[in-house]
Amino acid sequence: MAENKGYIATTKFLIASPTKVRPVARLVSRMSCTEAMAILANMPQKGAKLISGTVKSAMSNALNQNKKLDEDMLYVKEIRIDEGPRLKRVWFRARGRADQLLRRMCHITVIVGEKAGN
């Protein structure tokens, strides 16, 4: 029987810097989903809320596609934080000058897998 590669959820075009979201993702990678959701709910970072929604979506994808899965048997197999496009805005400065303000975006991809049965 071929091994399942996992259940995927992707959230795109989130206005958050990828460099600020990656440490949160590294923290919950390879954890059980229920444990990861509990940790993310108690973190103050903006990225924690963004990742939490994507993990929840991946869990529901897994449970809807495979009715035999148990929620406690799911774990976060992989989290990928990719850089998205940048919003370019004008930042007005003193003496009639202007700078460019870059609002960075990221794409979050979560892959949820099933733990080996005992």
Side-chain angles (χ1 to χ4, degrees):
M1 187 165 134
E3 184 182 334
N4 187 0
K5 293 187 180 184
Y7 302 94
I8 300 172
T10 305
T11 310
K12 292 186 173 188
F13 305 107
L14 298 169
I15 299 180
S17 173
T19 55
K20 291 181 181 179
V21 178
R22 281 186 189 117
V24 178
R26 239 179 272 123
L27 183 69
V28 296
S29 184
R30 312 298 276 170
M31 275 188 185
S32 71
C33 285
T34 52
E35 191 178 333
M37 291 298 288
I39 288 173
L40 290 170
N42 292 309
M43 289 182 75
Q45 287 89 345
K46 178 181 178 180
K49 185 176 180 184
L50 301 175
I51 291 172
S52 171
T54 312
V55 169
K56 192 182 292 185
S57 176
M59 286 172 62
S60 66
N61 288 346
L63 295 174
N64 287 334
Q65 287 179 19
N66 189 349
K67 302 290 184 188
K68 298 174 189 170
L69 280 180
D70 184 22
E71 192 173 329
D72 297 329
M73 294 299 291
L74 295 175
Y75 77 102
V76 179
K77 197 172 192 177
E78 180 185 347
I79 297 182
R80 206 168 45 244
I81 312 295
D82 299 320
E83 191 169 337
R86 296 175 180 178
L87 285 175
K88 293 177 182 173
R89 298 290 181 254
V90 176
W91 189 13
F92 297 104
R93 304 306 299 258
R95 304 169 97 182
R97 295 190 177 116
D99 278 343
Q100 195 173 44
L101 180 66
L102 297 176
R103 300 293 307 268
R104 287 170 171 78
M105 288 191 218
C106 66
H107 305 312
I108 300 174
T109 304
V110 175
I111 302 174
V112 169
E114 185 181 9
K115 290 180 187 173
N118 291 353

